Amino acid sequence: MILEAAKISFNEERYDEAEAFLKEADLKLDEASSEAKRLKGLINLSKGFFVKYWWAILLFIILVIVFGPKVAKKVRVKLAKNKLLNLRLELQTLERLIKKAQEDRFKFKKLTKVTYDIRINRYKDRMTEIKHTIPVLESIIGKKVKKKVKKRGVLEIK
């Protein structure tokens, strides 16, 4: 449009007006060029994360496939060892609680028979659960975790 107006002005020998139209057309062309560059930059920025970093994502997936099962097994074994140690500790604690309840009932006569029976049943139920869980954890670990048994001044004669 502006170029046509510049041609008409040039043909009618209005050179100043034609030059003004050309300068205006040049400014509009610069604006359009900068707008095109801006849009191209936005398109590059809006490319998806996966399109930009497909190689890194592929490498990560391959590493997870290769090393994932090994790491998962080690983590599972470590968690099983921790849980096994905690369950053994809880089992010892329950045994001590049973002894304490027996002392309170029979030696000191602090507990009634009903209270004693309730406590002992609760402790024994939990001990049963623990005793069923321990072999499962030992099979996950693959080998038995050694119990830390303290020898209390036992004299062995060989």
Side-chain angles (χ1 to χ4, degrees):
M1 249 188 209
I2 297 174
L3 285 176
E4 290 177 12
K7 282 182 185 179
I8 293 171
S9 296
F10 185 74
N11 287 338
E12 294 177 358
E13 296 180 0
R14 292 179 286 173
Y15 299 116
D16 291 334
E17 191 177 285
E19 188 176 351
F21 280 131
L22 288 175
K23 284 182 182 178
E24 188 179 338
D26 191 35
L27 285 174
K28 294 242 182 198
L29 182 63
D30 285 342
E31 286 176 13
S33 173
S34 65
E35 181 68 19
K37 285 181 185 177
R38 188 179 70 82
L39 285 175
K40 188 175 181 181
L42 286 175
I43 288 171
N44 283 338
L45 288 175
S46 69
K47 275 187 182 176
F49 175 80
F50 296 105
V51 173
K52 279 186 177 180
Y53 299 106
W54 66 270
W55 58 272
I57 294 170
L58 185 64
L59 179 66
F60 177 74
I61 290 172
I62 290 171
L63 289 175
V64 166
I65 289 171
V66 170
F67 295 111
K70 293 176 187 174
V71 171
K73 183 171 181 168
K74 286 187 180 194
V75 168
R76 186 174 183 213
V77 167
K78 178 128 176 102
L79 291 174
K81 281 182 181 179
N82 290 340
K83 188 167 185 176
L84 182 62
L85 291 174
N86 288 336
L87 286 178
R88 285 190 175 148
L89 180 65
E90 186 179 353
L91 193 60
Q92 291 173 354
T93 305
L94 287 171
E95 289 170 356
R96 277 188 254 132
L97 286 172
I98 287 176
K99 288 178 185 176
K100 175 88 168 96
Q102 288 172 346
E103 284 180 353
D104 288 346
R105 169 73 177 122
F106 299 114
K107 191 173 183 181
F108 303 119
K109 305 208 189 257
K110 291 181 184 177
L111 294 177
T112 64
K113 180 171 177 22
V114 175
T115 308
Y116 170 76
D117 289 339
I118 291 171
R119 284 188 186 176
I120 294 297
N121 285 336
R122 210 173 6 159
Y123 296 153
K124 286 186 178 181
D125 288 344
R126 181 63 185 147
M127 287 175 72
T128 305
E129 286 180 34
I130 291 172
K131 287 180 181 178
H132 286 296
T133 307
I134 286 176
V136 174
L137 294 174
E138 287 175 345
S139 70
I140 289 172
I141 294 171
K143 56 183 176 182
K144 288 192 174 188
V145 175
K146 293 183 180 179
K147 294 180 184 177
K148 295 180 181 176
V149 178
K150 295 181 182 177
K151 292 186 179 180
R152 298 182 185 177
V154 175
L155 181 62
E156 292 182 23
I157 300 175
K158 292 184 182 182

